[in-house]
Amino acid sequence: MDWSAFGLSLKLAGWTCAILIPTALVIGRLLAGWKGPLKGVAEAAITLPLVLPPTVLGYYLLVGMGAMSPLGRVWESVFGQGLVFQFSGLLAASVLVNIPFAIQPVQRAMEAVPAEVREAAYVSGLSRWQTFRRIDLPLAWPGVFSALALTFAHTLGEFGVVLMVGGNIEGQTRTAAIAIYDRAQAFDTQAAGAMAAALLAFSIAAIGVSYALTGGRRRG
C-alpha cells in the first residue's frame, strides 16, 4: 500500500470539496433562479468536463497553466514556483474536472424548492441572504451532501487529467489512482489490488453516506 499516494489523494479530495462546495452553493442557487435564454449555455459549459476526454481537458490545462502561459508566469512570479507538476496545479485541475459533480446536484436541489416558499419568506421580511440561509439550505441540503459525496469520490479516482497536469512525482503529485497504475504496470498485483480496494471502499462509503442522509430526509 502506497500510503503517501493515498494520503495525497485524500488531501486533494478534501481541498477540492472545500473549494467547490461553497462555490456550488452560490452558482447552483443562481442557476436555479435564472430564467434567461443563456441559461442553457451556462449549463452546457458546466457539463463540458463530463463529456471531454480527460486527455483533451488535461492538454488544455497543461497549456493554460504551463510556464509559458500568462497564468503560469504570473503564478510563478508571485509564488516562486509554477503550477504544472505541483500540488497547486493538481488542485486547480481537480477543481475544474469536478465542477459538474458539485454544481449539478446543488442546482437540482435548489430548483426543487417551491418558488412560493421563497416568495413567502420575502413577504415576511427576510432578505435574499436570510432566505438562502434559512429556507434554501435546509430544504436543499440532501443535494449538497450528494454533491460533496460525488466530488470527493470522483476526485479519489481521477486519473487522466491529474496525470497530465501533475505528472507522477512521489509525495507531491502521485495520487492513489496513479500509484495503482504504476503497480499494475510493474505486475505488483498485490499492492495494486490493496490500493484499488481501499479506493473502492472509500467511494462506496461516500455514496452510502449520501444516500443514507438523503433517504432519511425524504422519509422525514
Side-chain angles (χ1 to χ4, degrees):
M1 173 70 77
D2 190 337
W3 291 109
S4 174
F6 194 72
L8 184 65
S9 289
L10 292 177
K11 177 183 175 182
L12 181 63
W15 275 108
T16 300
C17 290
I19 293 171
L20 268 182
I21 298 305
T23 305
L25 287 173
V26 175
I27 297 178
R29 176 63 187 89
L30 291 174
L31 286 174
W34 190 4
K35 305 299 182 183
L38 295 179
K39 180 179 179 179
V41 177
E43 290 177 329
I46 289 171
T47 308
L48 194 59
L50 281 176
V51 297
L52 274 180
T55 50
V56 173
L57 184 57
Y59 170 77
Y60 283 117
L61 289 175
L62 193 62
V63 172
M65 297 190 302
M68 301 304 295
S69 69
L71 176 59
R73 289 197 295 267
V74 170
W75 186 273
E76 187 168 2
S77 66
V78 174
F79 296 101
Q81 63 181 16
L83 274 170
V84 176
F85 307 125
Q86 302 288 339
F87 180 80
S88 52
L90 200 66
L91 178 59
S94 178
V95 167
L96 289 173
V97 167
N98 283 286
I99 282 175
F101 295 95
I103 293 179
Q104 288 183 343
V106 174
Q107 179 188 348
R108 301 295 175 252
M110 293 292 182
E111 288 174 341
V113 177
E116 56 269 21
V117 175
R118 294 193 185 101
E119 293 170 0
Y122 298 148
V123 171
S124 299
L126 296 182
S127 66
R128 289 188 176 275
W129 163 246
Q130 290 173 324
T131 301
F132 176 77
R133 181 171 56 87
R134 298 174 63 179
I135 303 297
D136 288 323
L137 281 182
L139 293 176
W141 74 263
V144 178
F145 275 106
S146 293
L148 178 64
L150 288 172
T151 302
F152 191 89
H154 184 259
T155 303
L156 288 180
E158 180 56 44
F159 176 77
V161 173
V162 297
L163 179 62
M164 292 195 68
V165 174
N168 186 7
I169 304 173
E170 184 176 359
Q172 189 168 325
T173 62
R174 180 186 294 172
T175 62
I178 296 173
I180 291 172
Y181 177 78
D182 282 346
R183 291 299 86 209
Q185 289 289 96
F187 300 103
D188 186 355
T189 56
Q190 184 175 358
M195 285 186 286
L199 286 186
L200 177 62
F202 265 86
S203 299
I204 292 175
I207 299 300
V209 168
S210 173
Y211 273 90
L213 290 171
T214 56
R217 176 68 175 180
R218 286 192 294 266
R219 289 191 296 270

